[in-house]
Amino acid sequence: MIADQINHAREANPNERRFPFPSQMESLASQARPAAVLWLAGFLQAARLHRVVSFCASSRALSIRIAQCFLLNGLIFLGSLLTLKSVVIPTLLWILPEQCNQMGGQHLCDHKAAIAIYSFLRSGLVEIFYVFWFYPLYVFSFILSTLWYNDIAKHALDVVKRKSLDSTRALNAHNITEPGDQPEGFDRVALGIGEQVYSILLLTIFFVEVSVIGYVPYFGKAMNFLLLSLMYAYYCFEYKWNFFAVSLNNRLEFFESNWAFFAGFGAPCVLPIFFFSPLTSYGLMAILYPLFVLTAAGTQAEQVIDELKPTHEGKLQRIPVFFVAKRLTTQVLQLFPAVQKEE
């Protein structure tokens, strides 16, 4: 009966499309071109590492910080990993072999416990190396590098300012222009602190969200790569937005409206994660990240995006990248007034 009614309706409207998929496919195709163009533009902007040389040549303090990052994360951290894998572990395998035919005496092969003891000692010595050297070095590197990244961004943006780049060029005239009625004095300071707390909590929740998505079967790795690219691109540009006092709402709106550009910008920084072990990828990213912070400082993202609009002949649809993180952040912050009322 229901089937007869459906067939009757189709006969009454022969020109009506039976399936909505063509229109959806057309809409998807219209987004594919601007997304691809902006992604490639972001990738190429991140790859302009010659800006690093220009910045370092303009600031001695910046050059020192970059050199310190390379020394700590490259020579010491990655050098220690290389020493472990190429010297320490082979030496342990020579002293405590893992196969019977490598042992000095045949009588040791008759004791099965010998191989087990050798394996236990070898694993224990490697773990001691990690516990007393790598893990403390990782924490020390993470804390110190975070402080250095702020200095690197500050020195780079000071160079930008010294070169008399108009701050309104560094901000988007349409998307990131700040309103004139900004609070002054203590209200401005309180607003800035509140935005920083909200931003830290937002990005922390977003990082957890990205990590969880990575375990989803089939498409989890691809989504993880995309979201990590967006996250690291946001980190790189956040120094610049903080320097020019761009409000959190404006920077999030601009970021989500041009998500493809920032996904392309963050892609080179994220690539080491998918090709190396966690510690090695951390060391590489700790070296590469300040370089991308410098390329972000020299990138006029708003100008690049505006210039590409005639090329892709379409407006990229905004994707609420931080929707879940914003909702959870709001829920978390609402807990604090409730706790105060109970007290």
Side-chain angles (χ1 to χ4, degrees):
M1 183 121 186
I2 296 176
D4 293 338
Q5 293 177 355
I6 294 175
N7 291 330
H8 179 72
R10 287 176 177 173
E11 292 173 359
N13 300 280
N15 297 326
E16 183 180 357
R17 289 183 177 178
R18 296 184 179 182
F19 303 101
F21 297 114
S23 61
Q24 295 177 359
M25 293 299 292
E26 291 175 3
S27 176
L28 183 62
S30 67
Q31 291 296 303
R33 179 176 176 80
V37 171
L38 288 174
W39 188 94
L40 181 60
F43 188 92
L44 293 177
Q45 288 294 320
R48 295 190 173 184
L49 296 177
H50 63 275
R51 292 173 178 166
V52 176
V53 179
S54 176
F55 277 118
C56 291
S58 303
S59 174
R60 185 172 181 274
L62 176 59
S63 302
I64 293 174
R65 282 288 182 257
I66 291 292
Q68 288 171 333
C69 279
F70 272 85
L71 179 63
L72 175 61
N73 299 304
L75 185 61
I76 298 177
F77 190 85
L78 290 179
S80 297
L81 275 176
L82 181 62
T83 302
L84 174 67
K85 294 181 179 180
S86 61
V87 177
V88 176
I89 292 179
T91 302
L92 290 175
L93 287 173
W94 178 67
I95 298 174
L96 304 170
E98 59 182 354
Q99 295 181 1
C100 180
N101 55 11
Q102 295 176 339
M103 295 182 179
Q106 184 63 30
H107 64 281
L108 292 176
C109 294
D110 298 332
H111 300 282
K112 295 182 180 180
I115 297 178
I117 293 173
Y118 280 8
S119 177
F120 175 77
L121 290 175
R122 193 170 55 248
S123 300
L125 290 173
V126 172
E127 287 299 322
I128 290 174
F129 197 85
Y130 273 97
V131 170
F132 289 98
W133 178 250
F134 273 116
Y135 295 145
L137 181 62
Y138 173 83
V139 175
F140 176 75
S141 170
F142 181 83
I143 295 173
L144 196 57
S145 295
T146 301
L147 298 175
W148 286 347
Y149 296 154
N150 284 284
D151 289 343
I152 289 170
K154 179 181 177 298
H155 293 313
L157 292 167
D158 284 339
V159 171
V160 172
K161 196 172 183 180
R162 281 205 311 268
K163 290 183 177 180
S164 301
L165 290 177
D166 188 0
S167 61
T168 57
R169 283 184 58 196
L171 305 175
N172 190 350
H174 304 289
N175 296 311
I176 304 192
T177 300
E178 294 297 310
D181 53 345
Q182 290 289 312
E184 300 294 338
F186 178 77
D187 292 337
R188 185 179 182 88
V189 174
L191 179 62
I193 294 175
E195 285 191 344
Q196 287 297 319
V197 172
Y198 183 90
S199 177
I200 293 172
L201 186 57
L202 174 74
L203 294 175
T204 301
I205 294 176
F206 185 72
F207 175 77
V208 174
E209 176 189 342
V210 172
S211 301
V212 172
I213 289 176
Y215 293 99
V216 176
Y218 303 112
F219 63 89
K221 289 296 182 182
M223 289 298 299
N224 183 254
F225 177 78
L226 174 62
L227 294 177
L228 277 176
S229 300
L230 289 168
M231 185 178 71
Y232 277 98
Y234 187 91
Y235 286 154
C236 291
F237 280 90
E238 188 179 32
Y239 298 103
K240 185 176 184 179
W241 292 333
N242 285 333
F243 185 84
F244 289 109
V246 180
S247 68
L248 183 61
N249 287 333
N250 286 340
R251 69 179 72 170
L252 290 178
E253 180 182 357
F254 178 72
F255 187 87
E256 292 180 338
S257 299
N258 301 281
W259 59 270
F261 175 85
F262 292 104
F265 189 95
C269 190
V270 177
L271 284 175
I273 296 178
F274 294 87
F275 294 100
F276 300 98
S277 64
L279 285 175
T280 303
S281 62
Y282 165 77
L284 290 173
M285 290 187 64
I287 295 173
L288 294 176
Y289 179 71
L291 305 184
F292 292 118
V293 169
L294 294 179
T295 58
T299 299
Q300 303 295 333
E302 302 77 19
Q303 181 180 346
V304 173
I305 292 170
D306 286 340
E307 290 176 351
L308 288 174
K309 286 181 179 179
T311 304
H312 55 69
E313 298 177 353
K315 181 175 176 58
L316 186 68
Q317 185 176 357
R318 177 179 178 179
I319 293 181
V321 178
F322 298 104
F323 175 77
V324 175
K326 285 193 285 189
R327 292 293 297 271
L328 292 177
T329 301
T330 303
Q331 294 295 324
V332 171
L333 292 177
Q334 286 177 350
L335 295 177
F336 293 96
V339 173
Q340 292 176 358
K341 289 180 181 179
E342 291 177 0
E343 293 177 354

